[in-house]
């Protein structure tokens, strides 16, 4: 069980929608759509992916990080470092 | 014909690879992978999408924008405004 | 006392360095530096600011959020929502 | 003369405003403002810096890149590569 387990179906639905956006992008490129229209769709897919990441992160902090903090062991600080590194990767991608 | 037409197959290959990454993400969520590992893959897919966008943008400036500038009409400034708006959407996504 | 209080001097030093970068940018614009060189410095200042934000965020989760979780009240979930909103603003800026 | 030279005063004004935001951040840290409030201001300063960069980029394409394209030499492609690299740095910062 992880932070997102309660919402697993919702995350799968959102990821399938992103997959549909990526397939739509292939169709656009294949049919020689206008560059700017392709770029607009790339931005939309990127935002959708980032929104999935932000949801996963909130769930992760609410469950995995909070559980580690509550149990009071040395693991808590490790979990926070790990989450911070994931946030940094997200901000820079 | 658009800026990316000469590299169409390369873009389709890259987009199919991103589609594979998104399907991989669904598998990870479905199999209850650790949140942070899912997030790392989301960051990788986001970076791959951004790289596609940066390539499309360079091709667009090299061809569509440069052609409009070369033909010297009033359209050039319009094309530059349009490309700048696409860059802004990319930076903010 | 907040998450960053223990490192206050280090944050002030980093912010003064960013201030120096912004003043350097004004000098570059004033002396008609080449656009691309100005842009390279803007990217450097942006990354420096984002690094400050990532540090503040980690300190905030380590202290403020962790304290709220440890004390076990209803405030914990509120703090996590608030931190998640700050992460979203950061990712989108 | 560069792309932004016509708007030099406007850029200087915007950069001075960003400098003010960075000094405001130092004051907030110095006065132990709440972490999330500091982060909100960091996001605002980052967005203001990115807006300056997007303006410089549009001016650069409108002038420096367009001029190189119009004069038709081999320099045009070089200028486009250089601008694309600047866009990539911006997207990733």
């Amino acid at each position: 069980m992880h932070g997102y387990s309660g919402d697993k179906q919702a995350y799968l639905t959102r990821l399938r929608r992103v997959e549909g956006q990526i397939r739509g992008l292939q169709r656009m490129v294949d049919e020689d759509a206008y560059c700017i229209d392709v770029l607009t769709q790339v931005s939309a897919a990127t935002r959708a992916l980032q929104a999935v990441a932000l949801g996963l992160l909130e769930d992760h902090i609410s469950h995995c990080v909070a559980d580690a903090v509550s149990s009071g062991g040395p693991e808590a600080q490790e979990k926070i470092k790990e989450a911070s590194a994931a946030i940094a990767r997200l901000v820079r991608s």
Side-chain angles (χ1 to χ4, degrees), chain A:
Chain A
M1 286 291 289
H2 295 299
Y4 62 81
S5 300
D7 284 320
K8 204 163 137 167
Q9 287 313 317
Y11 280 115
L12 286 173
T13 302
R14 289 166 78 178
L15 285 168
R16 271 192 288 265
R17 209 174 298 143
V18 176
E19 189 194 330
Q21 289 176 294
I22 307 296
R23 266 208 298 268
L25 278 165
Q26 293 169 46
R27 219 160 23 239
M28 290 178 87
V29 167
D30 195 46
E31 298 172 353
D32 294 295
Y34 181 47
C35 324
I36 295 292
D37 295 335
V38 182
L39 282 167
T40 302
Q41 283 311 103
V42 174
S43 290
T46 304
R47 263 195 308 277
L49 259 181
Q50 297 273 32
V52 168
L54 292 169
L56 287 169
L57 206 53
E58 181 168 352
D59 286 344
H60 178 64
I61 298 174
S62 298
H63 296 91
C64 311
V65 175
D67 288 354
V69 168
S70 294
S71 53
E75 205 201 3
Q77 210 47 42
E78 218 177 278
K79 286 278 171 210
I80 291 169
K81 281 224 155 317
E82 188 188 52
S84 300
I87 295 168
R89 277 193 298 274
L90 214 63
V91 167
R92 282 164 188 153
S93 70

